[in-house]
Amino acid sequence: MLDRWCGARPVASEEPRVYEPTEDDVVRRGLQSGDVQLARVGRVIAGPGSDEPYVVLDEDGRAVEPVSAWARYMAVGDHSPRTIRSYCYAVLMWFRVLWQLDVRWDRATEAETAALVGWLRIAPNPQRRREAGAPAVNLKTGKPNLGLGYGAATINLTLAAVRGFYDFHAHWVRGPVVNPVPESPARRRALAHRGPLEPRQAHRRGAHRQRAQRPGPRSIPDAMWNQFFAQMPCDRDRALVACFVSSGARAEELLGAEVDDVDWAGQRMSVVSKGSRERRMVPLSPEAMSWLARYLRTFEGHATGPLWRTVRGEPRPLTYGAARRVLQRANDVLGTNWTLHDLRHTAAMRMVDSGVLTLPEVQVVLGHADLRTTSIYTTPRIDEVIDKMHDHYARPAPPPRRFAPGYAEDDIAIIFGGGVHE
């Protein structure tokens, strides 16, 4: 073996060795090629309290203690429960790969990271709904249709969660010596000591990180909005989308509102901000207030509590999945692919295009921490640009320039920079 690494030539009588993959290699390659299906064992459940909001269970229903310790650490560090939930699901995917390969969590290497990323790149996402043969881009909205697999942002979030999990245990001298998820030194240098007003420097992606493009804002044009709003079957759905498109609130902010959070005299609503988790006021249009009043008439004996509730059976708080399903039903009829976040984009674009609000004022309404985030809504919509281009194509060609006879063509060409048309 030493001669092999030192570059010594083998004896002529030795036969060349043929590499035979081990059973572990076959499983790793099978995960990356899709020939081996990752076992969907384990699950994430609600935790015992606010100090541990979510718990990861293994295939036997026992709590994975290394993940529980990390979740308790994040809860003490004032991480959002939704963030802890998403990180727990990401780490559960990592542990499924380790269980499949029969590798202990504290013995994991970059090879397991490659197996995880390879599987995520080709595996179907059970939460994606797309018919076979659907085009890559929706021609009515101009938005790309989501593929059947996991997106680049999901893969990168999973890698960030796994790296944070091992960074936590490395702080307490647990786990492998080297973090299984490598970090990009160029990214670390580019983001170090950078002022908030300095432009972001370009840097190389870390190993196994995917190329993720940040999509621009997608707002619903006014003509399509009327068709979309007409598909709402009940007063609750009409009030919901009207409040979304007039307040510009995020989905979880609006869905978490209470009945007492509505200020009827001031035509506004109090919501809990996603980032800072502080209370802030968002405006509501007169139309949204009207639909909201019609919807609240159905609250008999329930004058307090969650503002958005189910309309069938026993009233329950409306979840994000149920609100998304409201839009999916309208999309199925219209052949569109609008999302809840598109309603926030629509509200922002309307505020910017109104000419009444300044950009810092729009920033306050949307709850952005950085004005540069709000500035993306100054980008014109592609459908508006295409309509203007069609008007440009329909214009008649400008008449040729004519000059009185007697002038030399060479002199006119020198002065006006072109030929003469008589």
Side-chain angles (χ1 to χ4, degrees):
M1 181 63 69
L2 180 61
D3 294 339
R4 178 182 177 185
W5 285 107
C6 292
R9 296 182 179 179
V11 183
S13 61
E14 293 185 0
E15 297 182 357
R17 296 181 180 180
V18 179
Y19 172 73
E20 295 182 359
T22 63
E23 183 179 355
D24 182 70
D25 295 333
V26 173
V27 176
R28 292 175 186 274
R29 294 181 182 179
L31 287 175
Q32 298 182 26
S33 63
D35 297 334
V36 176
Q37 181 63 30
L38 185 64
R40 302 183 63 85
V41 295
R43 57 197 179 102
V44 177
I45 63 172
S50 59
D51 60 329
E52 189 177 355
Y54 292 95
V55 178
V56 176
L57 304 181
D58 60 12
E59 56 183 345
D60 297 326
R62 297 172 299 186
V64 182
E65 182 55 32
V67 182
S68 298
W70 182 48
R72 291 191 292 267
Y73 170 78
M74 289 190 292
V76 173
D78 199 25
H79 284 70
S80 168
R82 291 181 178 271
T83 300
I84 299 177
R85 177 177 178 269
S86 63
Y87 279 11
C88 284
Y89 272 106
V91 174
L92 173 61
M93 193 77 69
W94 167 254
F95 269 85
R96 285 174 177 174
V97 173
L98 298 182
W99 294 331
Q100 188 103 5
L101 299 175
D102 195 18
V103 177
R104 290 175 45 181
W105 75 271
D106 55 353
R107 296 292 185 268
T109 63
E110 188 177 345
E112 284 72 49
T113 302
L116 171 67
V117 174
W119 184 82
L120 288 174
R121 284 172 58 90
I122 54 93
N125 189 341
Q127 296 183 354
R128 294 288 174 85
R129 298 174 63 253
R130 181 178 176 183
E131 299 179 357
V137 177
N138 188 292
L139 297 181
K140 291 187 176 181
T141 63
K143 293 178 51 182
N145 288 317
L146 296 178
L148 296 177
Y150 292 90
T154 302
I155 298 177
N156 292 339
L157 184 144
T158 303
L159 292 177
V162 175
R163 180 169 181 85
F165 168 75
Y166 280 100
D167 283 342
F168 161 73
H169 285 286
H171 178 74
W172 301 103
V173 198
R174 294 192 294 261
V177 177
V178 179
N179 197 311
V181 181
E183 186 182 18
S184 171
R187 179 180 182 274
R188 184 171 52 192
R189 289 192 300 267
L191 300 181
H193 307 292
R194 184 179 66 89
L197 299 180
E198 297 179 6
R200 187 182 299 272
Q201 300 178 7
H203 55 79
R204 294 180 61 88
R205 290 179 285 117
H208 310 295
R209 263 39 176 221
Q210 307 297 297
R211 182 182 293 103
Q213 297 181 355
R214 184 177 182 180
R218 291 288 186 178
S219 61
I220 306 177
D222 294 340
M224 288 189 179
W225 167 257
N226 295 332
Q227 300 175 4
F228 179 79
F229 190 80
Q231 297 299 323
M232 298 297 109
C234 61
D235 291 339
R236 183 207 62 185
D237 297 347
R238 299 185 189 99
L240 180 65
V241 297
C243 289
F244 266 124
V245 83
S246 63
S247 65
R250 301 176 180 90
E252 62 182 78
E253 295 174 350
L254 192 63
L255 294 176
E258 303 280 334
V259 176
D260 296 335
D261 293 335
V262 181
D263 181 6
W264 296 94
Q267 294 189 7
R268 56 184 184 174
M269 179 188 299
S270 172
V271 298
V272 179
S273 181
K274 174 185 176 183
S276 62
R277 296 197 291 278
E278 296 180 353
R279 285 279 175 180
R280 65 185 182 91
M281 304 300 296
V282 294
L284 295 177
S285 65
E287 179 184 6
M289 298 294 293
S290 176
W291 286 114
L292 191 59
R294 293 186 55 173
Y295 159 62
L296 291 180
R297 292 176 185 174
T298 61
F299 282 22
E300 297 180 1
H302 300 279
T304 59
L307 177 61
W308 307 106
R309 310 174 188 179
T310 57
V311 294
R312 296 184 180 90
E314 187 68 20
R316 302 182 307 275
L318 191 68
T319 62
Y320 178 86
R324 184 174 59 179
R325 184 58 187 151
V326 171
L327 270 65
Q328 289 176 347
R329 286 193 290 264
N331 288 329
D332 293 340
V333 176
L334 300 175
T336 55
N337 58 349
W338 301 117
T339 63
L340 288 173
H341 204 63
D342 291 336
L343 300 179
R344 174 174 166 85
H345 288 327
T346 303
M349 295 290 284
R350 290 183 176 181
M351 295 176 194
V352 172
D353 295 341
S354 65
V356 178
L357 300 176
T358 62
L359 202 60
E361 291 171 342
V362 177
Q363 175 192 3
V364 173
V365 175
L366 297 179
H368 288 158
D370 194 338
L371 185 61
R372 289 176 296 183
T373 306
T374 314
S375 64
I376 66 174
Y377 296 104
T378 60
T379 305
R381 290 194 297 256
I382 184 61
D383 55 324
E384 297 177 346
V385 177
I386 292 177
D387 290 341
K388 291 183 178 180
M389 289 301 299
H390 289 164
D391 295 339
H392 169 69
Y393 297 146
R395 286 183 179 181
R401 291 177 298 183
R402 299 182 179 277
F403 300 93
Y407 290 96
E409 295 185 6
D410 296 339
D411 297 339
I412 295 178
I414 294 174
I415 297 175
F416 294 100
V420 182
H421 300 277
E422 300 257 341

